């Protein structure tokens, strides 16, 4: 009975604190309007926790049967967001509530906002829970591995429909503030249940929100209110450190603004942060260094597969000055012995991926040296996963991977299961249409283990973790060899001449 599902959805909103008792009739009538119903019959519903996915699923089935929507993933996602928008307060209320709680503590404010983002189904917890996640021990610490299943798989027909849909210029991208409350379309997600917190960093208007896919705890996105391209410069360091002053319990980082070594959205300036400590943040300084004129700043090379300089001081302005000095030096630095070229054919290659955090009263920043040079042998990038690793990871190594979290493609869920079956059946996968890409990788460790039904999946996960360590090593501009360490120190010396 549809009325039961409507009543259950209202109960869910009431139980979560999205609405109060006085809102029940109003919200019920709004749902009736969206579902094209002109009456309501009261009914009994079970007590206890409401399973949101199940209730929304029943309402979506009703909408599809009634012809209100097409029964596709995209149309269902657009419609259930519209249903959930009934329970979400206006942006001004959310911003005021956040500000009021912030006066008590930044953590109370983010706790409220994160709960709202989850309860409103902007963060679809039931989908996020399906992601495959595990830990992988390495010489660099405990790495995080996830196979991303949060983004729904679309059918070929939906992909074709999205391609043929009018390419509107509103909102300009997924990060623009105009997404707040937007109904969505076939090629743009609905955001009617989305709210943005206005903040000011480095004197400019920015927005604060959570990622709907939360790759880690309280995964947030901080974006410029203006649609301007990604860049890393002196102002980037100021903005990152300003944010850690506003939210000392969160880290914040920026993707490099270059292709190959940057993130997936380079058209809109934004950062990513959250309440999580990655393996890189836990990694110790391997070699202490001193930068001329910055003897008061604790500095060193981090024990990490990529090339990381860590700087720390009580005065954030000192970090801004030193980070800017290092970036400026790196952008003009060439070391042919290590195949590092600042520029070729007029194209600049060098930048950094910066990450900022608080350590008690101190500010700390990691600067990951990046270079996006390509060659005929490595058209996707010299400092990028090489072809022998593409069966596991071919995509860009962005901020999240740099810190020690592998975000792997959804295809691996099925491929891991098929590999497990093939191993236990002792099958040759070199001619298998789906698994042949893994044949060389599998042969590299197949003789190392005594595979059983109980341990095969764990072994595959362990070996994937080993591949991810290699992925990060490939992305590092200075290799973890004596020659690489000498090259890194040459750069440090070069900085000190500037």
């Amino acid at each position: 009975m549809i009325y039961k599902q409507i009543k259950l959805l209202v109960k869910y909103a009431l139980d979560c604190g999205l609405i109060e008792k006085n809102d029940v009739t109003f919200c019920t009538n709004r749902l009736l309007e969206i579902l094209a119903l002109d009456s309501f019959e009261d009914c009994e519903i079970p007590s206890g926790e409401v399973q949101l996915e199940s209730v929304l699923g029943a309402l979506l089935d009703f909408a599809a049967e009634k012809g209100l929507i097409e029964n596709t993933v995209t149309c269902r996602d657009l419609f259930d967001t519209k249903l959930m928008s009934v329970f979400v307060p206006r942006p001004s209320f959310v911003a005021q509530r956040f500000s009021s709680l912030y006066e008590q503590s930044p953590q109370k404010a983010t706790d409220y906002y994160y709960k709202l983002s989850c309860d409103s189904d902007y963060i679809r917890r039931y989908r996020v829970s399906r992601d495959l996640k595990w830990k992988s021990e390495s010489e660099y610490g405990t790495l995080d591995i996830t196979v991303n299943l949060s983004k729904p798989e679309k059918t070929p027909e939906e992909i074709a429909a999205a391609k043929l849909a009018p390419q509107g210029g509103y909102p300009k991208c997924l990060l623009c503030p105009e997404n707040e409350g937007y109904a969505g379309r076939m090629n743009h997600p609905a955001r009617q249940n989305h709210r943005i917190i206005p903040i000011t960093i480095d004197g400019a208007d920015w927005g604060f929100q959570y990622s709907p896919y939360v790759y880690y705890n309280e995964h947030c996105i901080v974006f410029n209110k203006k649609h301007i391209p990604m860049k890393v410069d002196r102002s980037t360091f100021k903005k990152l450190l300003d944010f850690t002053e506003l939210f000392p319990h969160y880290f914040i980082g920026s993707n490099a603004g270059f292709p190959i070594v940057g993130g997936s959205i380079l058209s809109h300036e934004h950062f990513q942060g959250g309440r999580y400590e990655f393996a890189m943040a836990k990694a110790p300084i391997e070699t202490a260094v001193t930068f001329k004129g910055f003897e008061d700043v604790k500095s060193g090379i981090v024990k990490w597969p990529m090339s990381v300089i860590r700087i720390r001081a009580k005065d954030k302005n000192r970090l801004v000055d030193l980070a800017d000095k290092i970036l400026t030096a790196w952008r003009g630095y060439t070391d042919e012995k290590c195949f590092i070229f600042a520029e070729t054919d007029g194209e600049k290659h060098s930048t950094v991926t910066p990450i900022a955090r608080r350590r008690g009263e101190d500010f700390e920043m990691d600067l990951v040296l990046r270079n996006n040079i390509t060659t005929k042998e490595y058209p996707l990038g010299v400092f990028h996963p090489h072809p022998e690793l593409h069966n596991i990871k071919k995509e860009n190594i962005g901020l999240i991977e740099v810190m020690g979290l592998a975000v792997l493609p959804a295809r691996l869920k099925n491929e891991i299961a098929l590999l497990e079956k093939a191993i236990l059946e002792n099958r040759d996968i070199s001619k298998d249409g789906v698994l042949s890409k893994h044949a060389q990788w599998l042969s590299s460790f197949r003789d190392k283990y005594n595979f059983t039904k109980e341990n095969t999946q764990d072994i595959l996960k362990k070996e994937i973790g080993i591949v991810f360590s290699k992925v990060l090593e490939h992305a590092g501009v200075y290799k973890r060899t004596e020659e690489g360490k000498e090259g890194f120190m040459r750069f440090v010396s070069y900085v000190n001449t500037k």
Side-chain angles (χ1 to χ4, degrees):
M1 184 193 238
I2 190 63
Y3 304 118
K4 177 182 177 182
Q5 303 304 324
I6 292 172
K7 195 168 182 180
L8 281 169
L9 188 58
V10 173
K11 180 182 183 298
Y12 165 84
L14 198 59
D15 291 348
C16 287
L18 286 170
I19 63 172
E20 299 178 6
K21 285 186 178 179
N22 287 342
D23 301 319
V24 168
T25 300
F26 173 84
C27 290
T28 300
N29 285 333
R30 286 287 293 113
L31 292 173
L32 292 174
E33 177 189 351
I34 293 169
L35 292 163
L37 296 168
D38 54 15
S39 64
F40 180 77
E41 297 176 16
D42 200 8
C43 54
E44 292 294 319
I45 58 172
S47 59
E49 184 179 352
V50 177
Q51 298 302 312
L52 181 60
E53 183 179 19
S54 174
V55 172
L56 286 175
L59 291 170
L60 291 168
D61 290 343
F62 171 83
E65 289 167 11
K66 197 171 180 180
L68 299 176
I69 61 170
E70 291 182 30
N71 197 22
T72 65
V73 171
T74 301
C75 291
R76 289 171 74 94
D77 278 2
L78 292 171
F79 197 79
D80 69 8
T81 303
K82 188 175 185 178
L83 292 171
M84 291 305 300
S85 71
V86 167
F87 309 111
V88 186
R90 287 184 178 271
S92 58
F93 176 89
V94 175
Q96 288 166 12
R97 179 68 175 147
F98 185 92
S99 180
S100 174
L101 289 168
Y102 185 90
E103 292 301 315
Q104 299 177 42
S105 82
Q107 187 174 321
K108 282 188 176 180
T110 56
D111 284 350
Y112 156 74
Y113 182 46
Y114 188 68
K115 183 177 185 299
L116 173 67
S117 299
C118 291
D119 291 344
S120 66
D121 208 36
Y122 165 71
I123 296 173
R124 299 172 187 262
R125 286 174 288 198
Y126 43 85
R127 285 187 184 167
V128 174
S129 68
R130 294 178 192 138
D131 288 350
L132 296 182
K133 295 182 180 181
W134 68 91
K135 304 282 186 181
S136 179
E137 296 302 323
S138 77
E139 63 175 294
Y140 310 109
T142 305
L143 303 176
D144 292 291
I145 315 290
T146 181
V147 176
N148 174 40
L149 305 172
S150 303
K151 293 182 182 179
E153 293 288 332
K154 296 185 178 182
T155 64
E157 291 78 14
E158 288 178 275
I159 294 169
K163 186 177 180 180
L164 293 172
Q167 298 297 309
Y170 182 92
K172 288 182 179 177
C173 78
L174 292 170
L175 294 177
C176 284
E178 290 79 14
N179 281 281
E180 187 175 39
Y182 186 62
R185 53 183 188 266
M186 288 301 293
N187 54 10
H188 195 103
R191 291 290 183 256
Q192 290 141 305
N193 56 351
H194 176 41
R195 298 295 179 263
I196 297 167
I197 302 298
I199 63 172
T200 302
I201 55 176
D202 193 28
D205 293 333
W206 282 58
F208 170 72
Q209 66 182 45
Y210 289 106
S211 164
Y213 307 114
V214 284
Y215 292 137
Y216 49 85
N217 187 44
E218 297 181 37
H219 177 182
C220 69
I221 299 171
V222 184
F223 60 93
N224 197 318
K225 286 287 187 77
K226 297 178 180 178
H227 183 78
I228 59 176
M230 287 287 293
K231 63 178 179 178
V232 174
D233 59 15
R234 181 184 179 86
S235 70
T236 305
F237 307 135
K238 291 176 70 177
K239 291 164 189 168
L240 294 176
L241 292 167
D242 269 9
F243 181 86
T244 65
E245 200 163 28
L246 286 173
F247 302 99
H249 58 303
Y250 276 12
F251 80 88
I252 189 80
S254 174
N255 267 306
F258 286 8
I260 297 176
V261 297
S264 58
I265 300 179
L266 298 180
S267 61
H268 194 129
E269 185 181 19
H270 70 285
F271 308 139
Q272 295 183 75
R275 196 174 175 186
Y276 190 73
E277 189 171 36
F278 289 92
M280 191 179 80
K282 298 176 185 177
I285 285 180
E286 189 172 44
T287 305
V289 299
T290 301
F291 290 102
K292 187 179 177 181
F294 293 90
E295 289 78 8
D296 57 316
V297 179
K298 184 179 178 182
S299 307
I301 296 170
V302 179
K303 184 182 179 182
W304 192 244
M306 297 185 71
S307 308
V308 187
I309 296 173
R310 178 170 295 160
I311 55 178
R312 176 173 171 173
K314 279 189 168 54
D315 183 353
K316 67 178 182 178
N317 294 317
R318 294 292 286 159
L319 292 193
V320 171
D321 289 342
L322 179 52
D324 186 43
K325 180 183 177 76
I326 292 169
L327 173 61
T328 301
W330 178 241
R331 282 186 167 155
Y333 183 72
T334 290
D335 184 346
E336 294 186 14
K337 286 185 179 179
C338 295
F339 206 78
I340 294 168
F341 294 87
E343 184 178 325
T344 58
D345 299 325
E347 181 186 354
K348 296 184 183 302
H349 297 300
S350 297
T351 185
V352 300
T353 299
I355 301 106
R357 63 185 76 89
R358 296 296 296 274
R359 295 294 190 193
E361 294 183 0
D362 288 358
F363 294 89
E364 184 174 272
M365 182 174 285
D366 288 345
L367 300 171
V368 187
L369 305 181
R370 311 299 302 274
N371 186 284
N372 73 348
I373 193 169
T374 62
T375 63
K376 287 183 179 179
E377 185 181 3
Y378 299 115
L380 296 180
V382 172
F383 305 110
H384 179 84
H386 291 177
E388 66 268 23
L389 306 180
H390 287 179
N391 62 308
I392 301 297
K393 180 70 175 177
K394 184 179 181 180
E395 299 78 13
N396 287 359
I397 305 305
L399 171 68
I400 294 173
E401 286 87 2
V402 162
M403 295 185 293
L405 168 58
V407 181
L408 302 178
R411 64 174 171 80
L412 282 175
K413 179 186 179 183
N414 182 50
E415 289 173 14
I416 288 171
L418 293 174
L419 273 170
E420 182 180 4
K421 189 171 184 292
I423 289 168
L424 291 173
E425 293 173 355
N426 200 28
R427 264 194 297 117
D428 176 14
I429 64 169
S430 61
K431 303 258 193 300
D432 187 297
V434 175
L435 298 180
S436 58
K437 66 173 82 71
H438 297 296
Q440 185 179 352
W441 172 58
L442 178 57
S443 67
S444 71
F445 63 84
R446 197 166 196 165
D447 294 337
K448 284 168 49 180
Y449 301 102
N450 179 26
F451 291 100
T452 66
K453 188 177 180 180
E454 290 72 30
N455 71 10
T456 301
Q457 188 175 114
D458 288 338
I459 290 170
L460 287 171
K461 287 180 176 179
K462 176 184 174 181
E463 291 294 329
I464 288 172
I466 292 171
V467 170
F468 182 50
S469 287
K470 291 177 181 176
V471 162
L472 295 177
E473 288 171 353
H474 284 198
V477 294
Y478 291 111
K479 303 312 172 190
R480 293 191 57 78
T481 61
E482 286 305 313
E483 184 180 357
K485 290 176 183 177
E486 289 171 7
F488 207 154
M489 291 307 296
R490 280 198 300 275
F491 172 66
V492 171
S493 298
Y494 175 79
V495 175
N496 281 327
T497 66
K498 297 297 172 182

